[in-house]
Amino acid sequence: MAQNLYGPRVRIGNWNEDVYLEEEIMKDFLAKRDKGQLLIQRNRRLKENLLRPMQLSVSEDGYIHYGDKVMLVSPDHPETEADLFLPGDLSLCMTPDEIKAHLSNELEMPCGLSAAQAKIPVGRNTFTILCAAGEVIGQVLRYGQNFRLGITGGFDDRMANTKILITHCHTNRGLVAHRHLFLRTYFGQEAEVAAHTYLDSHRVEKPKNHWMLVTGAPRKDLSTMLDLPKPPAEDTRALEQEREQVSDPGARSTPDARGCVPQCTLPM
């Protein structure tokens, strides 16, 4: 009858090699942790940068200037072409690749875009109005002028917090937030952003092509101008426009007296 000749304290196999291997793994782990090179540490730093609270520029004169920090917001509007969509104001956001975001602590370019239900200015949805050729920092941005968006993680050209159209200069297509097309991003479910112009029967851009350059609120207890309560006159005007559309199917809402939304061009 075979007997077990080994007691519980007897080591078999390459036990010494396994011990040294475990020690090397632990030393490598501790060295990476001390240098901040662990995946979880790099991932945390990227998320902290992208979600870091930002301060928007406050427009004291109602104008947008080169160098201003703003949010690009798609104003809320009734969606009639889909049953399932993201409601509310959607802000344009940078969306890093989910796999790369887990492996790096820096934002890799080029980077995708999406529209999210976020009204608080953070690193991923706060953009800087950059100068095109011939303009200088602090100069007023006029309708029809070219400008660039940079990110850090009567018609008197007062564009601050006013509905405008953003047009891609190479394709002449408008920036749009597809509220009914969802993206599973690193930050959850958000809406797709694309360059496509939607026109109604009057050949006028639909509300889904409307955007706002949102600035900071002058009140310290509010983050953006979106947080300010709407004046009663504005709410009354919106109700009157809805009643006119119901009574006259051919009528349409006009953001200004000329019946069009002002347009800006965005090089990409």
Side-chain angles (χ1 to χ4, degrees):
M1 182 176 178
Q3 295 181 353
N4 186 3
L5 302 179
Y6 300 100
R9 297 182 180 180
V10 176
R11 298 179 177 180
I12 61 175
N14 297 327
W15 61 269
N16 193 47
E17 181 179 348
D18 294 339
V19 170
Y20 277 106
L21 182 60
E22 291 179 0
E23 291 179 353
E24 288 297 322
I25 293 176
M26 179 58 66
K27 289 180 181 179
D28 183 62
F29 169 80
L30 294 177
K32 288 185 176 181
R33 186 192 64 179
D34 295 338
K35 295 179 181 179
Q37 296 178 349
L38 295 177
L39 292 181
I40 188 172
Q41 292 175 316
R42 290 187 291 181
N43 174 263
R44 185 182 297 117
R45 283 199 296 270
L46 176 62
K47 184 175 292 186
E48 287 176 352
N49 289 332
L50 292 177
L51 299 181
R52 178 181 301 168
M54 301 293 290
Q55 182 66 43
L56 299 181
S57 301
V58 177
S59 179
E60 298 179 354
D61 55 5
Y63 294 93
I64 291 291
H65 307 79
Y66 289 104
D68 282 355
K69 292 184 178 180
V70 300
M71 291 171 57
L72 194 56
V73 176
S74 174
D76 186 23
H77 63 271
E79 181 64 57
T80 59
E81 300 178 4
D83 296 329
L84 187 61
F85 59 91
L86 286 179
D89 297 323
L90 302 182
S91 63
L92 187 69
C93 300
M94 295 200 71
T95 306
D97 181 83
E98 189 167 358
I99 296 179
K100 293 181 180 179
H102 286 287
L103 301 177
S104 175
N105 60 346
E106 296 182 356
L107 187 63
E108 295 191 15
M109 303 300 290
C111 183
L113 294 173
S114 63
Q117 295 171 310
K119 292 185 178 181
I120 299 177
V122 293
R124 66 184 296 245
N125 66 2
T126 301
F127 296 86
T128 302
I129 306 295
L130 300 180
C131 300
E135 286 79 18
V136 295
I137 296 295
Q139 182 178 338
V140 174
L141 176 62
R142 306 289 181 179
Y143 290 120
Q145 286 183 324
N146 293 346
F147 69 96
R148 299 178 184 273
L149 287 178
I151 190 167
T152 49
F155 270 88
D156 51 3
D157 291 334
R158 298 195 175 190
M159 279 186 265
N161 313 294
T162 303
K163 293 180 181 180
I164 61 172
L165 300 174
I166 306 293
T167 304
H168 185 219
C169 66
H170 295 298
T171 62
N172 201 34
R173 295 180 179 179
L175 186 67
V176 60
H178 288 145
R179 297 168 177 263
H180 62 291
L181 299 179
F182 303 120
L183 295 176
R184 291 189 177 275
T185 72
Y186 179 60
F187 298 94
Q189 181 173 275
E190 298 179 350
E192 179 188 81
V193 173
H196 186 83
T197 303
Y198 289 90
L199 303 177
D200 60 17
S201 59
H202 300 277
R203 305 294 297 173
V204 175
E205 290 80 1
K206 292 185 177 180
K208 62 178 63 181
N209 281 119
H210 296 174
W211 293 85
M212 295 169 58
L213 295 174
V214 178
T215 60
R219 291 169 49 179
K220 295 183 178 180
D221 58 330
L222 301 178
S223 299
T224 70
M225 292 296 291
L226 293 176
D227 299 324
L228 287 176
K230 294 183 179 179
E234 185 174 343
D235 294 337
T236 305
R237 192 182 309 116
L239 290 175
E240 291 178 352
Q241 290 178 350
E242 291 180 2
R243 291 172 182 172
E244 290 176 358
Q245 291 179 351
V246 173
S247 59
D248 184 4
R252 58 182 174 84
S253 175
T254 57
D256 73 298
R258 295 181 292 181
C260 60
V261 177
Q263 179 172 327
C264 294
T265 306
L266 176 63
M268 297 292 283

